[in-house]
Amino acid sequence: MLPSYYEFFNPVKILSGKNALDNLPYELEQLGAKRPIIVTDKGVIKAGLIQVVKSAFDSSGMVIGAIYDDVPPDSSSDVVNQIVAVYRENGCDAIVAVGGGSPIDTAKGVNIVLSENSDDLMKFEGADRLKAPMKPFIVIPTTAGTGSEVTLAAVIKNTAKNVKMAFASHLLFPKIAILDPRMTTTMPPHITAMTGMDALAHSMEAYTCLQKNPLSDAYATAAIKLIAQYLPKAVENGKDMEARMAMANAATMAGAAFSNSMVGMVHSLGHATGAICHIPHGLAMSIFLPFGLEYNLPKTEAMVAELLLPLGGEAEYVKVAAGQRAARTIVLVRKFQQTLFDLCGLPRTLKEAGVPKNKLEEIAKTAINDGTLSFNPEELDLNDALNVLNEAYS
Amino acid sequence: MGKKYGPIKSGVKWFKILVAKIVFFVLGRAFQSATKHDPDIKKEISVWREGFVLIMRVLPNGPRMVLEKLNGRLKYRGAKYDDGDLVISFKNIECAFLVLTPQVGAAQAFAERRMTVKGDLGNAMIFTRCLTILLGHLYPQFICRRLVKRVAPMPLKKQMIKLVINVVGIPFGL
């Protein structure tokens, strides 16, 4: 059924495929840039991925203005300000983010401060607060999960207040995302598994949350199909270029889907658990996904039933009776979790993830104030959240 | 002489503006009263600092409802302030009309991007929960079912609060 009204926006040019990175200088030049800053983290440096990026500039005549490689996993306004200073000192004219969610979100924050010609990122917290045209901004993801390369949002910690601030604006979209399988082959199995589950959660929540629409549905189901087929392969053999490419595409499509239809309680609970117990976001998504699907079932049964086709394939879909398909989808998600546990030990419960039971109440209290809960199809109050957390515990 | 071209001034949707003003007044007074009489709403807003200002407005320069936390409860302040700690804006008068009349629930309107939020999203979630409770006091259950995700039960105590809000809260601000 069509929603009575929806909006969909995805202006990011995607370059996807073997050696896609080689087009980076050309694309920068097309954007009018000559001296980009590269924003990345130590993990990217350690994995040798920055060499791949640097070599893309060889024989291009272009100068890399600076490489900032100190983005921490939990980025902050202080880091943003440092990068802005480096950008200005070195006369840079574009931003290239290389990494997972943290370098990408940080680069978005840098773009806000630079483009708005401000010195205070926090003035722009919230939705639709940006007015100025942004600097040329290209993203090269090194994980396949966050979808940040095609989203309009960034989450950055306010150092002074020690709270995470959310920024959302259609101006924050990168101009270009480059999906080059070479950039994800060094990801270890458990990171591959949890970031892949993040993409699965994005697509499944995008398909079932309040602002689902025909365009986001198309992206979401295409992503689920790829994840179901390729995530175990990518975990099993990191050098499998086809699996890496498929997962990079799946994560990007899932990002485009959820950026428009938004996500719900799986993310509310995941954000809260991450904030309080510091477990990785993808892991939290993996644990909460079946519980979120189950909880929302009274409102979303028909949608979850439809997801059996991309997740289980045609044979499975035809085999299962119509009234059983939603339940079967959830069973398959749990089987998927088990496969990843068997392959790389990805925790299936909060207990296995090391979340202390005495933190569940605090997590529940935080989760019900998370903005993503607005888009959840079913109401979730404090008691409901606590019940779900207890179920997910062991 | 050819056809003349020139600027066209936009019209004004007086009726819908008037409806929005009236509903904002009723909603503002209802909030003022509910924060005094309903313990659930009182508890929700207890985390807001004294002087916290919440604004619901229609863009670009339409009607608005200003609520300010004074002495532990929300006070309806008409259109006193332009800016606040939490500002919820309807993108246009038609969006506001849909929500305020009430044809569409706040969560659905937010999901459809008919409204934008400035300020801490955690506070917006608190406001949404308060609004859900308040709608239960203002409308019969069959309307509430269309506006909120789950209609809360109305025990006798809540029925009494509903009566107080509607009989003395909205007309007299008590």
Side-chain angles (χ1 to χ4, degrees), chain A residues 59-363:
Chain A
S59 302
S60 70
M62 202 170 266
V63 175
I64 298 173
I67 297 177
Y68 184 94
D69 59 8
D70 281 324
V71 177
D74 205 4
S75 194
S76 66
S77 46
D78 285 353
V79 177
V80 167
N81 290 336
Q82 281 170 26
I83 300 170
V84 167
V86 174
Y87 181 102
R88 286 177 176 147
E89 274 162 29
N90 290 281
C92 299
D93 57 10
I95 306 164
V96 177
V98 183
S102 187
I104 298 172
D105 280 10
T106 305
K108 286 178 181 173
V110 170
N111 209 355
I112 293 172
V113 176
L114 285 167
S115 305
E116 292 284 346
N117 202 18
S118 171
D119 54 1
D120 183 8
L121 175 66
M122 296 312 155
K123 276 202 291 203
F124 305 98
E125 191 208 357
D128 297 331
R129 310 288 308 281
L130 307 177
K131 302 285 177 220
M134 296 279 122
K135 304 284 179 201
F137 176 36
I138 295 180
V139 169
I140 305 165
T142 59
T143 62
T146 67
S148 291
E149 64 275 15
V150 285
T151 67
L152 77 177
V155 178
I156 296 165
K157 194 166 84 180
N158 179 337
T159 319
K161 291 185 179 170
N162 198 28
V163 289
K164 288 197 172 184
M165 302 283 198
F167 304 84
S169 163
H170 67 277
L171 292 168
L172 274 184
F173 278 108
K175 288 275 184 281
I176 294 165
I178 303 180
L179 312 179
D180 189 317
R182 290 175 294 173
M183 301 304 284
T184 53
T185 49
T186 55
M187 237 196 315
H190 71 285
I191 307 275
T192 305
M194 60 176 85
T195 51
M197 287 303 282
D198 188 15
L200 186 64
H202 288 158
S203 31
M204 289 194 147
E205 288 220 287
Y207 198 82
T208 51
C209 281
L210 285 184
Q211 193 48 0
K212 78 187 243 86
N213 60 70
L215 294 172
S216 67
D217 284 355
Y219 280 95
T221 49
I224 293 167
K225 200 172 167 184
L226 285 177
I227 295 164
Q229 192 180 347
Y230 287 102
L231 180 56
K233 288 181 185 172
V235 173
E236 212 164 11
N237 174 16
K239 302 288 175 210
D240 182 336
M241 287 294 193
E242 189 186 330
R244 290 298 193 186
M245 200 64 253
M247 283 309 299
N249 276 269
T252 297
M253 287 190 286
F258 93 82
S259 188
N260 284 282
S261 69
M262 307 309 286
V263 285
M265 63 177 284
V266 174
H267 276 75
S268 321
L269 293 166
H271 290 158
T273 311
I276 291 161
C277 301
H278 308 288
I279 72 165
H281 176 70
L283 174 55
M285 294 300 96
S286 178
I287 293 169
F288 289 125
L289 179 57
F291 294 100
L293 291 172
E294 224 160 38
Y295 182 87
N296 286 321
L297 221 44
K299 295 265 176 80
T300 60
E301 188 174 352
M303 303 167 209
V304 177
E306 286 163 5
L307 292 180
L308 184 60
L309 183 59
L311 187 68
E314 283 172 25
E316 177 79 23
Y317 187 80
V318 173
K319 197 176 74 187
V320 179
Q324 303 297 316
R325 282 178 186 149
R328 184 65 187 158
T329 302
I330 298 170
V331 168
L332 287 195
V333 171
R334 292 212 156 97
K335 277 192 171 179
F336 209 63
Q337 277 183 325
Q338 185 60 42
T339 304
L340 296 175
F341 176 80
D342 294 340
L343 285 172
C344 66
L346 189 73
R348 297 156 297 181
T349 62
L350 292 175
K351 193 177 179 183
E352 285 176 359
V355 172
K357 195 157 192 196
N358 62 9
K359 292 281 182 191
L360 298 190
E361 193 162 344
E362 192 184 344
I363 295 170

Side-chain angles (χ1 to χ4, degrees), chain B residues 88-146:
Chain B
I88 297 164
S89 307
F90 293 102
K91 286 184 178 173
N92 55 58
I93 187 67
E94 295 293 343
C95 293
F97 192 75
L98 273 178
V99 175
L100 299 176
T101 33
Q103 301 174 59
V104 170
Q108 190 62 35
F110 188 48
E112 291 175 352
R113 299 185 171 56
R114 296 181 193 274
M115 301 147 86
T116 65
V117 175
K118 192 204 110 188
D120 183 29
L121 284 179
N123 288 330
M125 295 305 293
I126 291 171
F127 176 67
T128 306
R129 288 197 292 274
C130 292
L131 189 62
T132 301
I133 300 168
L134 190 67
L135 290 174
H137 292 316
L138 296 180
Y139 298 113
Q141 293 222 339
F142 74 93
I143 292 182
C144 283
R145 268 193 282 277
R146 205 173 57 207

Side-chain angles (χ1 to χ4, degrees), chain A residues 299 368-369 373 376 384, chain B residues 111-113 129 149-150:
Chain A
K299 295 265 176 80
I368 60 163
N369 282 334
L373 205 52
N376 196 61
D384 301 323
Chain B
E112 291 175 352
R113 299 185 171 56
R129 288 197 292 274
K149 295 175 188 174
R150 183 167 65 200

